Amino acid sequence: YGIESKEIEGKNGQFILNFVSYDKKKFYLLPDRERNGYQALTMINGKMAILDRVFIQLSGGTFWFPTITNIELKGRDTLTKQVVIENFKP
């Protein structure tokens, strides 16, 4: 468990993130100039989106090894600002 981060070469202050336990989905941590902070982006249903929420549904397992049955990502398309949602089973 945990998150690995790597600074994007030539892009000061921009990072690629991935979960150690699930490396199929890449996340990007980029400066948000409007809010003077950072925002996370990822592909949601084939569209690059600003990540607003991650919901992980568990079904049994143990504290250290939970059984994940569903993951929901919710965000806003970077171009249209429309809400995009993706559900998948890891």
Side-chain angles (χ1 to χ4, degrees):
Y1 289 96
I3 295 177
E4 291 180 338
S5 66
K6 180 179 176 184
E7 189 166 13
I8 299 171
E9 192 173 326
K11 303 284 186 176
N12 191 24
Q14 297 183 17
F15 299 87
I16 296 175
L17 310 173
N18 70 288
F19 287 90
V20 173
S21 59
Y22 188 77
D23 63 356
K24 295 178 184 174
K25 185 73 96 169
K26 299 292 181 201
F27 296 85
Y28 304 91
L29 187 63
L30 306 176
D32 180 355
R33 292 178 184 91
E34 291 178 14
R35 293 186 178 94
N36 197 26
Y38 280 83
Q39 60 188 2
L41 288 88
T42 192
M43 294 296 287
I44 301 177
N45 276 337
K47 298 179 181 192
M48 185 56 73
I50 299 166
L51 186 63
D52 290 325
R53 182 180 76 181
V54 176
F55 177 76
I56 300 173
Q57 185 174 8
L58 305 175
S59 176
T62 66
F63 178 79
W64 294 110
F65 299 102
T67 302
I68 299 173
T69 56
N70 187 58
I71 297 175
E72 180 179 280
L73 302 177
K74 182 178 180 182
R76 291 168 281 126
D77 184 303
T78 56
L79 298 175
T80 65
K81 304 301 183 205
Q82 289 186 327
V83 172
V84 288
I85 298 172
E86 179 179 358
N87 286 284
F88 61 95
K89 297 180 184 193

